[in-house]
Amino acid sequence: MAAIEQAAIAATSLPPIIVAEEQFEELSTVAEQLAHAIPEVGHFLERELDRAKLMSLARMPGDIVTVGSTVEFIFGMKGRAERLTLVYPAGAVAEHGFVSLASPVGVALLGMKAGNTISWSTRYGDMRSLKGLAIEHKR
C-alpha cells in the first residue's frame, strides 16, 4: 500500500514539461517500442508525452531539456551532480556521457526545466528523484 500511495503522490506533484513538436512523433514511436521491450520505461514515457505541452524547437526556452540537450542534474536527495546528453536509445550505444530515453532517468529528464525536480516509482515500488540544474543545447 505504501508504494501505491508514494506513486500517487509523485504523480500529483509532477512538474510541467514541454516537448519539441519536431521530436514528438519519434518519441511516441520510442515509447511504443519500449512498452513491449521494457514496459515500465515505455509506460513512463507514454505518461510523460500525454501530459507534455508541445512547442516548436524554434520557440523552445533554453532551459528545457530536449533530445540532444546536455543536462547537469542531481540524482537522488544526496546525489552528486552528473552531466549527460539525452539521446534516443540507438544513440547511447557504448558511449560514455549519454543517457538514453530507454532509461527511467532519460524519461524523467525529457521536457524538464532547469530547477525542477521530478519523482517516480520504480517497478519495485522504490521512489527515485532528480533535479535539473543546467541545460545546454547544440543549436
Side-chain angles (χ1 to χ4, degrees):
M1 181 75 161
I4 293 170
E5 289 172 3
Q6 286 179 332
I9 290 168
T12 60
S13 63
L14 292 172
I17 62 170
I18 302 172
V19 171
E21 291 172 341
E22 297 88 340
Q23 296 175 345
F24 188 79
E25 187 174 325
E26 189 166 359
L27 290 166
S28 296
T29 299
V30 169
E32 188 176 305
Q33 292 168 344
L34 288 173
H36 298 290
I38 312 169
E40 65 275 4
V41 177
H43 297 309
F44 183 19
L45 181 54
E46 288 171 345
R47 282 191 308 269
E48 290 298 275
L49 293 175
D50 285 346
R51 70 184 194 85
K53 176 182 175 184
L54 298 181
M55 185 178 292
S56 71
L57 280 170
R59 295 185 51 230
M60 186 75 64
D63 61 350
I64 301 293
V65 178
T66 60
V67 176
S69 298
T70 299
V71 187
E72 184 175 349
F73 64 95
I74 295 174
F75 183 71
M77 295 299 194
K78 297 182 181 181
R80 68 183 189 290
E82 297 193 42
R83 184 178 165 86
L84 300 171
T85 300
L86 182 63
V87 296
Y88 291 109
V93 179
E95 294 289 331
H96 185 68
F98 293 94
V99 61
S100 171
L101 279 164
S103 71
V105 170
V107 174
L109 288 170
L110 180 67
M112 175 178 268
K113 180 177 180 164
N116 282 356
T117 300
I118 185 170
S119 298
W120 68 95
S121 179
T122 69
R123 67 176 137 180
Y124 304 110
D126 300 326
M127 292 303 295
R128 299 285 185 256
S129 68
L130 62 80
K131 178 177 182 173
L133 300 176
I135 293 114
E136 291 178 21
H137 299 276
K138 294 183 207 173
R139 293 191 181 168

